[in-house]
Amino acid sequence: MGTVVVDAAAKKEANGSLADLNPTVVFVLGGPGSGKGTQCANVVQHFGYTHLSAGDLLRAEIKSGSENGTMISNMIKEGKIVPSEVTIKLLQQAMLESGNDKFLIDGFPRNEENRAAFEAVTKIEPSFVLFFDCSEEEMERRLLGRNQGREDDNIETIRKRFNVFLESSLPVIEYYNSKGKVRKIDAGRPVEEVYESVKAIFAPKNEKAD
Ligand SMILES: Nc1ncnc2c1ncn2[C@@H]1O[C@H](COP(=O)(O)OP(=O)(O)OP(=O)(O)O)[C@@H](O)[C@H]1O
Ligand SMILES: Nc1ccn([C@@H]2O[C@H](COP(=O)(O)O)[C@@H](O)[C@H]2O)c(=O)n1
Protein backbone atom coordinates (compact mmCIF):
# COMPACT_ATOMS: atom_id res chain seq x y z
CA MET A 1 0.00 0.00 0.00
CA GLY A 2 1.30 3.55 -0.79
CA THR A 3 1.74 6.43 1.65
CA VAL A 4 -1.45 8.09 2.85
CA VAL A 5 -1.33 11.88 2.70
CA VAL A 6 -3.85 13.75 4.86
CA ASP A 7 -3.69 17.45 5.73
CA ALA A 8 -4.02 17.54 9.53
CA ALA A 9 -5.14 21.18 9.69
CA ALA A 10 -7.88 20.59 7.10
CA LYS A 11 -9.02 17.52 9.03
CA LYS A 12 -9.29 19.48 12.31
CA GLU A 13 -11.18 22.31 10.69
CA ALA A 14 -13.64 19.95 8.97
CA ASN A 15 -14.40 18.20 12.27
CA GLY A 16 -15.22 21.40 14.11
CA SER A 17 -17.70 22.58 11.49
CA LEU A 18 -19.33 19.16 11.05
CA ALA A 19 -20.08 18.95 14.77
CA ASP A 20 -21.84 22.34 14.49
CA LEU A 21 -23.91 21.02 11.57
CA ASN A 22 -25.26 18.08 13.65
CA PRO A 23 -26.28 16.30 10.42
CA THR A 24 -28.79 13.52 9.81
CA VAL A 25 -26.90 10.58 8.31
CA VAL A 26 -28.26 7.40 6.74
CA PHE A 27 -25.71 4.75 5.76
CA VAL A 28 -26.62 2.89 2.58
CA LEU A 29 -25.05 -0.56 2.46
CA GLY A 30 -25.33 -3.70 0.35
CA GLY A 31 -23.22 -5.79 -1.98
CA PRO A 32 -21.65 -4.40 -5.16
CA GLY A 33 -24.40 -3.94 -7.73
CA SER A 34 -27.25 -4.32 -5.24
CA GLY A 35 -28.65 -0.98 -6.49
CA LYS A 36 -27.53 1.45 -3.79
CA GLY A 37 -26.70 4.31 -6.17
CA THR A 38 -29.86 3.81 -8.22
CA GLN A 39 -32.12 4.02 -5.18
CA CYS A 40 -30.20 6.90 -3.58
CA ALA A 41 -30.95 8.99 -6.68
CA ASN A 42 -34.69 8.44 -6.05
CA VAL A 43 -34.41 9.38 -2.38
CA VAL A 44 -32.50 12.57 -3.25
CA GLN A 45 -35.26 13.60 -5.65
CA HIS A 46 -38.13 13.05 -3.22
CA PHE A 47 -36.71 13.57 0.26
CA GLY A 48 -34.07 16.30 -0.06
CA TYR A 49 -31.04 14.30 1.01
CA THR A 50 -27.57 14.77 -0.48
CA HIS A 51 -26.15 11.53 -1.87
CA LEU A 52 -22.47 10.90 -1.11
CA SER A 53 -21.06 7.72 -2.64
CA ALA A 54 -17.71 6.82 -1.04
CA GLY A 55 -16.71 5.02 -4.26
CA ASP A 56 -17.56 8.08 -6.40
CA LEU A 57 -15.56 10.36 -4.08
CA LEU A 58 -12.56 8.02 -4.30
CA ARG A 59 -12.80 7.86 -8.11
CA ALA A 60 -13.00 11.69 -8.25
CA GLU A 61 -9.92 11.88 -6.02
CA ILE A 62 -7.99 9.73 -8.54
CA LYS A 63 -9.08 12.00 -11.40
CA SER A 64 -8.10 15.15 -9.46
CA GLY A 65 -4.44 14.10 -9.60
CA SER A 66 -4.22 13.82 -5.80
CA GLU A 67 -1.09 12.43 -4.13
CA ASN A 68 -3.19 9.47 -2.98
CA GLY A 69 -4.52 8.80 -6.50
CA THR A 70 -2.24 5.91 -7.44
CA MET A 71 -2.76 4.15 -4.12
CA ILE A 72 -6.57 4.54 -4.39
CA SER A 73 -6.59 3.36 -8.00
CA ASN A 74 -4.60 0.23 -7.12
CA MET A 75 -6.90 -0.57 -4.19
CA ILE A 76 -10.05 -0.18 -6.34
CA LYS A 77 -8.64 -2.40 -9.10
CA GLU A 78 -8.07 -5.09 -6.45
CA GLY A 79 -11.46 -4.53 -4.81
CA LYS A 80 -9.69 -3.63 -1.56
CA ILE A 81 -10.81 -1.07 1.00
CA VAL A 82 -8.93 2.23 1.03
CA PRO A 83 -7.62 3.37 4.46
CA SER A 84 -10.38 5.07 6.44
CA GLU A 85 -8.60 8.38 6.96
CA VAL A 86 -8.59 9.03 3.21
CA THR A 87 -12.27 8.20 2.67
CA ILE A 88 -13.45 9.98 5.82
CA LYS A 89 -11.64 13.16 4.85
CA LEU A 90 -13.37 13.11 1.45
CA LEU A 91 -16.76 12.50 3.09
CA GLN A 92 -16.23 15.31 5.60
CA GLN A 93 -15.29 17.78 2.86
CA ALA A 94 -18.25 16.78 0.70
CA MET A 95 -20.68 17.12 3.62
CA LEU A 96 -19.43 20.60 4.42
CA GLU A 97 -19.46 21.72 0.79
CA SER A 98 -23.00 20.45 0.18
CA GLY A 99 -24.80 23.13 2.17
CA ASN A 100 -27.22 20.41 3.32
CA ASP A 101 -27.60 18.69 6.68
CA LYS A 102 -29.19 15.39 5.49
CA PHE A 103 -26.94 12.78 3.91
CA LEU A 104 -27.18 9.36 2.32
CA ILE A 105 -23.69 7.94 2.73
CA ASP A 106 -23.50 5.16 0.16
CA GLY A 107 -20.93 2.34 0.34
CA PHE A 108 -19.59 3.42 3.72
CA PRO A 109 -18.71 2.10 6.30
CA ARG A 110 -17.35 -0.85 4.35
CA ASN A 111 -15.47 -2.49 7.23
CA GLU A 112 -15.02 -2.24 10.98
CA GLU A 113 -12.10 0.16 10.56
CA ASN A 114 -14.29 2.52 8.46
CA ARG A 115 -17.08 2.33 11.05
CA ALA A 116 -15.00 2.91 14.17
CA ALA A 117 -12.87 5.66 12.59
CA PHE A 118 -15.90 7.59 11.29
CA GLU A 119 -17.56 7.43 14.70
CA ALA A 120 -14.36 8.48 16.50
CA VAL A 121 -13.51 11.33 14.13
CA THR A 122 -16.95 12.81 13.41
CA LYS A 123 -18.93 11.69 16.51
CA ILE A 124 -21.82 11.10 14.09
CA GLU A 125 -24.19 8.14 14.66
CA PRO A 126 -26.36 7.14 11.70
CA SER A 127 -30.13 7.56 12.13
CA PHE A 128 -30.47 4.16 10.48
CA VAL A 129 -28.79 1.87 7.95
CA LEU A 130 -30.48 0.89 4.69
CA PHE A 131 -29.36 -2.59 3.69
CA PHE A 132 -29.96 -3.68 0.10
CA ASP A 133 -30.09 -7.44 0.20
CA CYS A 134 -29.51 -9.11 -3.18
CA SER A 135 -28.20 -12.46 -4.42
CA GLU A 136 -24.66 -12.64 -5.83
CA GLU A 137 -26.06 -14.07 -9.07
CA GLU A 138 -28.25 -10.99 -9.63
CA MET A 139 -25.51 -8.55 -8.52
CA GLU A 140 -23.03 -10.15 -10.91
CA ARG A 141 -25.52 -9.87 -13.78
CA ARG A 142 -26.10 -6.18 -13.01
CA LEU A 143 -22.39 -5.31 -12.67
CA LEU A 144 -21.44 -7.04 -15.90
CA GLY A 145 -24.23 -5.12 -17.65
CA ARG A 146 -23.47 -1.71 -16.09
CA ASN A 147 -21.27 -0.47 -18.96
CA GLN A 148 -19.91 2.61 -17.21
CA GLY A 149 -16.30 1.76 -18.00
CA ARG A 150 -15.43 1.05 -14.37
CA GLU A 151 -12.11 -0.74 -13.98
CA ASP A 152 -13.53 -2.94 -11.24
CA ASP A 153 -16.59 -4.17 -13.18
CA ASN A 154 -14.78 -7.24 -14.56
CA ILE A 155 -15.45 -10.76 -13.35
CA GLU A 156 -12.10 -11.17 -11.56
CA THR A 157 -12.48 -7.97 -9.48
CA ILE A 158 -16.21 -8.54 -8.99
CA ARG A 159 -15.45 -11.87 -7.25
CA LYS A 160 -12.91 -10.12 -5.01
CA ARG A 161 -15.47 -7.41 -4.16
CA PHE A 162 -18.03 -10.08 -3.24
CA ASN A 163 -15.49 -11.69 -0.86
CA VAL A 164 -14.69 -8.33 0.75
CA PHE A 165 -18.42 -7.70 1.17
CA LEU A 166 -18.95 -11.07 2.90
CA GLU A 167 -15.86 -10.91 5.09
CA SER A 168 -15.64 -7.21 5.98
CA SER A 169 -18.91 -5.40 5.21
CA LEU A 170 -21.52 -7.88 6.45
CA PRO A 171 -20.10 -7.74 10.01
CA VAL A 172 -20.71 -3.97 10.00
CA ILE A 173 -24.33 -4.56 8.98
CA GLU A 174 -24.61 -7.16 11.77
CA TYR A 175 -23.19 -4.62 14.24
CA TYR A 176 -25.88 -2.06 13.34
CA ASN A 177 -28.52 -4.79 13.32
CA SER A 178 -27.65 -5.59 16.93
CA LYS A 179 -28.38 -1.91 17.69
CA GLY A 180 -31.79 -2.10 15.93
CA LYS A 181 -30.67 0.30 13.20
CA VAL A 182 -30.90 -1.84 10.05
CA ARG A 183 -33.78 -1.46 7.57
CA LYS A 184 -33.44 -4.41 5.21
CA ILE A 185 -34.76 -4.15 1.66
CA ASP A 186 -35.27 -7.03 -0.78
CA ALA A 187 -33.18 -5.50 -3.59
CA GLY A 188 -33.54 -8.39 -6.04
CA ARG A 189 -36.79 -6.97 -7.45
CA PRO A 190 -37.32 -4.43 -10.26
CA VAL A 191 -36.16 -0.85 -9.53
CA GLU A 192 -39.70 0.55 -9.03
CA GLU A 193 -40.67 -2.19 -6.58
CA VAL A 194 -37.49 -1.72 -4.59
CA TYR A 195 -38.17 2.02 -4.43
CA GLU A 196 -41.67 1.43 -3.02
CA SER A 197 -40.02 -0.29 -0.04
CA VAL A 198 -37.36 2.42 0.27
CA LYS A 199 -39.97 5.18 0.12
CA ALA A 200 -41.97 3.59 2.93
CA ILE A 201 -38.92 3.87 5.17
CA PHE A 202 -38.32 7.56 4.47
CA ALA A 203 -41.93 8.77 4.24
CA PRO A 204 -43.46 9.42 7.63
CA LYS A 205 -46.70 7.45 7.99
CA ASN A 206 -49.78 9.20 6.51
CA GLU A 207 -47.57 11.46 4.38
CA LYS A 208 -47.09 10.97 0.65
CA ALA A 209 -43.81 11.53 -1.19
CA ASP A 210 -43.84 12.92 -4.75
N1 LIG B 1 -33.56 -3.29 -9.10
C1 LIG B 1 -32.78 -3.37 -10.18
N2 LIG B 1 -33.05 -4.26 -11.16
C2 LIG B 1 -32.22 -4.36 -12.25
N3 LIG B 1 -31.13 -3.59 -12.46
C3 LIG B 1 -30.82 -2.69 -11.50
C4 LIG B 1 -31.61 -2.53 -10.32
N4 LIG B 1 -31.05 -1.57 -9.55
C5 LIG B 1 -29.95 -1.15 -10.21
N5 LIG B 1 -29.81 -1.80 -11.38
C6 LIG B 1 -28.73 -1.67 -12.36
O1 LIG B 1 -27.65 -2.43 -11.83
C7 LIG B 1 -26.41 -1.74 -12.00
C8 LIG B 1 -25.81 -1.48 -10.61
O2 LIG B 1 -26.65 -0.59 -9.91
P1 LIG B 1 -26.04 0.53 -8.94
O3 LIG B 1 -24.93 1.21 -9.63
O4 LIG B 1 -27.16 1.35 -8.43
O5 LIG B 1 -25.49 -0.44 -7.78
P2 LIG B 1 -24.56 -0.12 -6.54
O6 LIG B 1 -25.03 -0.96 -5.42
O7 LIG B 1 -24.50 1.36 -6.31
O8 LIG B 1 -23.17 -0.66 -7.09
P3 LIG B 1 -21.67 -0.38 -6.61
O9 LIG B 1 -21.59 -0.66 -5.16
O10 LIG B 1 -20.84 -1.32 -7.43
O11 LIG B 1 -21.37 1.06 -6.95
C9 LIG B 1 -26.74 -0.48 -12.78
O12 LIG B 1 -26.51 -0.72 -14.15
C10 LIG B 1 -28.23 -0.25 -12.50
O13 LIG B 1 -28.88 0.42 -13.56
N1 LIG C 1 -15.85 2.91 1.95
C1 LIG C 1 -15.29 2.56 0.76
C2 LIG C 1 -16.02 2.52 -0.42
C3 LIG C 1 -15.41 2.14 -1.58
N2 LIG C 1 -14.10 1.82 -1.58
C4 LIG C 1 -13.41 1.39 -2.81
O1 LIG C 1 -14.11 1.80 -3.97
C5 LIG C 1 -14.52 0.66 -4.71
C6 LIG C 1 -15.80 0.91 -5.42
O2 LIG C 1 -16.83 1.22 -4.47
P1 LIG C 1 -18.36 1.30 -4.95
O3 LIG C 1 -19.16 1.55 -3.71
O4 LIG C 1 -18.44 2.44 -5.91
O5 LIG C 1 -18.69 0.00 -5.60
C7 LIG C 1 -14.56 -0.48 -3.68
O6 LIG C 1 -14.45 -1.78 -4.24
C8 LIG C 1 -13.30 -0.13 -2.87
O7 LIG C 1 -12.13 -0.47 -3.57
C9 LIG C 1 -13.39 1.86 -0.41
O8 LIG C 1 -12.18 1.56 -0.40
N3 LIG C 1 -13.98 2.24 0.75
Side-chain angles (χ1 to χ4, degrees), residues 5-187:
V5 186
V6 177
D7 181 324
K11 194 169 151 186
K12 201 172 167 203
E13 194 185 321
N15 286 344
S17 324
L18 255 192
D20 296 343
L21 194 60
N22 190 22
T24 298
V25 165
V26 174
F27 288 146
V28 182
L29 301 178
S34 56
K36 302 181 293 296
T38 302
Q39 296 298 332
C40 283
N42 285 329
V43 176
V44 165
Q45 231 184 326
H46 298 136
F47 294 100
Y49 280 74
T50 292
H51 173 212
L52 298 178
S53 154
D56 284 351
L57 290 171
L58 290 167
R59 284 182 286 275
E61 186 70 355
I62 299 171
K63 283 209 186 111
S64 76
S66 135
E67 288 171 90
N68 289 323
T70 306
M71 179 274 291
I72 298 171
S73 175
N74 290 336
M75 301 290 274
I76 289 181
K77 277 182 204 149
E78 285 300 311
K80 290 183 181 161
I81 298 174
V82 171
S84 299
E85 57 197 295
V86 173
T87 315
I88 290 170
K89 184 183 149 230
L90 295 173
L91 285 169
Q92 286 175 308
Q93 281 174 348
M95 288 167 90
L96 287 170
E97 282 166 16
S98 73
N100 201 350
D101 64 353
K102 290 161 66 176
F103 301 96
L104 299 170
I105 301 195
D106 163 6
F108 184 98
R110 216 45 165 247
N111 61 9
E112 176 55 22
E113 190 215 357
N114 272 183
R115 186 199 67 72
F118 186 82
E119 201 177 298
V121 170
T122 66
K123 316 287 180 216
I124 295 169
E125 265 273 318
S127 303
F128 59 89
V129 174
L130 264 190
F131 167 36
F132 289 97
D133 187 29
C134 193
S135 71
E136 276 195 9
E137 214 183 0
E138 176 63 16
M139 292 192 289
E140 185 178 306
R141 201 173 13 250
R142 291 180 189 177
L143 292 173
L144 291 174
R146 182 152 58 179
N147 283 329
Q148 284 179 359
R150 273 179 55 167
E151 293 211 75
D152 55 350
D153 278 351
N154 58 79
I155 193 62
E156 198 190 333
T157 313
I158 287 170
R159 296 259 154 86
K160 289 180 184 167
R161 290 158 71 198
F162 286 163
N163 284 338
V164 169
F165 175 70
L166 291 177
E167 283 170 20
S168 303
S169 309
L170 265 184
V172 174
I173 295 166
E174 278 155 17
Y175 167 84
Y176 284 119
N177 198 32
S178 74
K179 298 184 94 184
K181 291 212 165 188
V182 171
R183 310 287 180 268
K184 183 169 160 178
I185 306 279
D186 173 2

